[in-house]
Amino acid sequence: MDRNKQLFEQSQITIPGGVNSPVRAFGSVGGTPIFFKRALGSRLWDENDKEYIDYINSWGPMILGHAHPEVIQVVQEVAKGSLSFGAPTERELTMAETIVRLVPSIEQVRLVSSGTEATMSAIRVARGHTRRDKIVKFEGCYHGHADALLVKAGSGALTFGQPSSAGVPHDVAKDTLTLPYNDTEALRELFDQMGAEIACVILEPVVGNMNLIIPEQEFLLTLRRLCTDHGVVLIFDEVMTGFRVALGGAQELFNVIPDMTTLGKVIGGGLPVGAFGGKKEIMSQLAPHGPVYQAGTLSGNPVAVAAGLKTLELIQEKNFHTRLAEITSNLVTGLTQIAKNKGKEFTARNVGGMFGMYFSSKAPNSFDEVMTSDRESFKKFFHLMLEQGIYFGPSAFEAGFVSAAHTQDDIQQTLDAAEVAFAAF
Ligand code: KE4
């Protein structure tokens, strides 16, 4: 029997759904999740020793490619000095100073162990700072699984049709207001009605959790101005876009500056690191000096921070992001052309090293447009490519990711597989 099938059957006995994160279960594409045992560069190997080109890259962290020798080396070195102290280390200071230097809107930053912790904490600080309760998010955006944010959420919540999760008390969800992404008029109306009650607005400045959606400049500029005018904290959730779409993230790309930023994924280099930061005036609300409590046993973990620091060092190499954007653009341009030649309704686009593929005639700019894409075609395409050793995200509502280890040969192999896949359905 196929090892993946065997492991998946067995995993479902002791792990809910057989996975430790829902999107991994292949629920929306069907079939059996692939169990991987190792990876190197752009490649993955499953438990049957089948090789794949990886376009998930752990949902963003593996921007250098898997098992980068310098990252592995520093992890091995630091681990020899113990794995955790629960006390301050110089390395955390270096990480904080690096983040502050690379993301100038961040004057102070605190490390945590996941993107969820980062967004949950940022919202609490914003509520403490403004003494207001309401928060605003956008339908289809995903910011991790903190109660207040599992309202009309994206990613796995959208994939499995539960954008507003069970188990979130009404009294929590009632303070979360949701708006349509890229709808400037709806923004204006809400701020006119309730601007004085809103603590913060949190958004993905490039959305990767309802597939890839690019913000309209007017939407971002209006949001920035309304938050300033009403004393609302503007939080850019750059857990996915941070250090990926540009060295300084989406805020550098669009030149719109938030009051707070959340980070994750790339800053851990594959180990658990998240971060939230922003203006010192806001961050000074945090314990131990301020009244807003937030804490974490493994926050700033020395081994995870070492992996993140080495990753941040290497992505500062000259032209790193230019090259990443170029090779990702070669992928999306090639896929779009092949689909067109085969008469398929398909388009793809990228922002830096993250990309979206859409089985629709044009790239969507809103949640409603995303929902019109053809999920059955995605499902067929996904499996036809998987059979040929190309591993895309098992959901029509996820962005894909390219690493610096991907070569033009990898792209060509992917395009050759797409020729076969698009011809087959
Ligand atoms: P984590 O708690 O999963 O580290 O981060 C939550 C999060 C916050 N903000 C954004 C913009 C995110 O994309 C995420 C997590 N991304 C998903 C992928 N769509 C993680 C994959 C998963 O849930 O298994």
Side-chain angles (χ1 to χ4, degrees):
M1 174 197 251
D2 170 65
R3 190 88 178 101
N4 292 310
K5 275 193 173 47
Q6 193 179 13
L7 287 169
F8 190 45
E9 268 180 31
Q10 201 174 335
S11 299
Q12 293 177 74
I13 297 166
T14 52
I15 305 171
V19 292
N20 282 309
S21 199
V23 71
R24 304 177 188 173
F26 275 33
S28 70
V29 292
T32 303
I34 310 293
F35 284 66
F36 293 107
K37 68 178 174 187
R38 69 184 180 90
L40 179 64
S42 61
R43 304 288 168 134
L44 295 158
W45 286 268
D46 73 10
E47 289 291 347
N48 299 318
D49 272 329
K50 179 176 177 176
E51 185 174 333
Y52 302 79
I53 299 175
D54 185 10
Y55 287 107
I56 296 184
N57 286 285
S58 184
W59 303 101
M62 311 317 290
I63 194 167
L64 295 174
H66 289 286
H68 188 290
E70 291 185 58
V71 176
I72 300 301
Q73 197 278 327
V74 77
V75 164
Q76 289 172 328
E77 269 312 299
V78 172
K80 287 175 191 162
S82 181
L83 302 180
S84 180
F85 310 119
T89 61
E90 183 178 358
R91 201 168 278 110
E92 293 161 75
L93 170 58
T94 309
M95 174 60 95
E97 292 176 341
T98 301
I99 290 171
V100 165
R101 176 169 56 82
L102 295 178
V103 189
S105 67
I106 296 178
E107 295 172 346
Q108 283 200 327
V109 62
R110 182 161 278 174
L111 300 180
V112 292
S113 298
S114 71
T116 293
E117 268 194 277
T119 57
M120 173 178 74
S121 307
I123 280 170
R124 187 180 310 133
V125 172
R127 282 171 158 162
H129 174 66
T130 59
R131 291 183 173 72
R132 300 173 183 177
D133 294 340
K134 299 286 182 207
I135 66 170
V136 177
K137 71 177 288 296
F138 296 88
E139 189 169 19
C141 284
Y142 179 73
H143 305 287
H145 61 90
D147 279 357
L149 291 166
L150 280 180
V151 177
K152 294 187 181 178
S155 186
L158 183 58
T159 298
F160 296 103
Q162 295 145 353
S164 301
S165 172
V168 175
H170 168 72
D171 280 355
V172 169
K174 74 175 174 26
D175 285 329
T176 302
L177 310 172
T178 57
L179 289 174
Y181 196 84
N182 269 335
D183 186 334
T184 304
E185 200 40 50
L187 265 185
R188 288 199 188 96
E189 281 168 23
L190 181 70
F191 272 80
D192 284 349
Q193 289 162 21
M194 308 181 71
E197 298 174 59
I198 300 170
C200 62
V201 176
I202 185 168
L203 81 159
E204 295 182 59
V206 173
V207 184
N209 288 293
M210 53 169 143
N211 212 319
L212 181 88
I213 302 282
I214 298 173
E216 288 159 8
Q217 193 70 18
E218 191 212 354
F219 171 71
L220 285 184
L221 291 173
T222 305
L223 179 57
R224 175 61 278 175
R225 183 172 44 72
L226 288 170
C227 285
T228 304
D229 294 349
H230 292 267
V232 172
V233 175
L234 176 55
I235 303 172
F236 273 15
D237 177 358
E238 299 227 38
V239 166
M240 189 183 275
T241 55
F243 308 110
R244 173 162 286 277
V245 299
L247 184 57
Q251 56 197 271
E252 176 187 281
L253 211 54
F254 294 97
N255 194 25
V256 174
I257 310 306
D259 302 307
M260 294 184 78
T261 300
T262 53
L263 298 165
K265 297 179 190 279
V266 167
I267 62 169
L271 291 181
V273 179
F276 64 103
K279 290 176 179 168
K280 188 174 179 183
E281 171 202 1
I282 299 172
M283 294 299 285
S284 61
Q285 295 289 322
L286 272 167
H289 298 312
V292 178
Y293 195 70
Q294 179 275 332
T297 301
L298 297 175
S299 296
N301 175 271
V303 181
V305 167
L309 273 176
K310 178 55 74 177
T311 301
L312 292 184
E313 176 196 321
L314 294 172
I315 68 169
Q316 291 178 66
E317 277 173 11
K318 194 166 167 5
N319 294 327
F320 178 91
H321 287 86
T322 307
R323 281 198 317 270
L324 190 64
E326 273 168 10
I327 198 146
T328 310
S329 174
N330 292 347
L331 172 70
V332 299
T333 306
L335 289 171
T336 303
Q337 189 57 56
I338 292 166
K340 187 172 179 225
N341 296 344
K342 307 277 184 199
K344 299 295 178 191
E345 269 218 338
F346 172 95
T347 189
R349 68 182 166 189
N350 69 298
V351 179
M354 63 192 267
F355 64 91
M357 302 184 290
Y358 321 92
F359 281 87
S360 54
S361 54
K362 80 177 192 66
N365 284 319
S366 70
F367 177 79
D368 289 344
E369 288 178 8
V370 164
M371 298 310 281
T372 64
S373 68
D374 178 351
R375 279 173 252 184
E376 278 312 304
S377 292
F378 172 79
K379 201 169 155 179
K380 287 176 193 158
F381 179 73
F382 171 82
H383 281 292
L384 285 163
M385 295 297 274
L386 190 67
E387 284 159 23
Q388 299 179 84
I390 310 298
Y391 189 59
F392 286 124
S395 161
F397 300 113
E398 295 284 357
F401 303 92
V402 173
S403 83
H406 282 70
T407 63
Q408 194 47 43
D409 285 349
D410 291 329
I411 303 303
Q412 192 52 56
Q413 187 177 329
T414 307
L415 298 180
D416 294 344
E419 290 277 1
V420 173
F422 279 120
F425 75 92

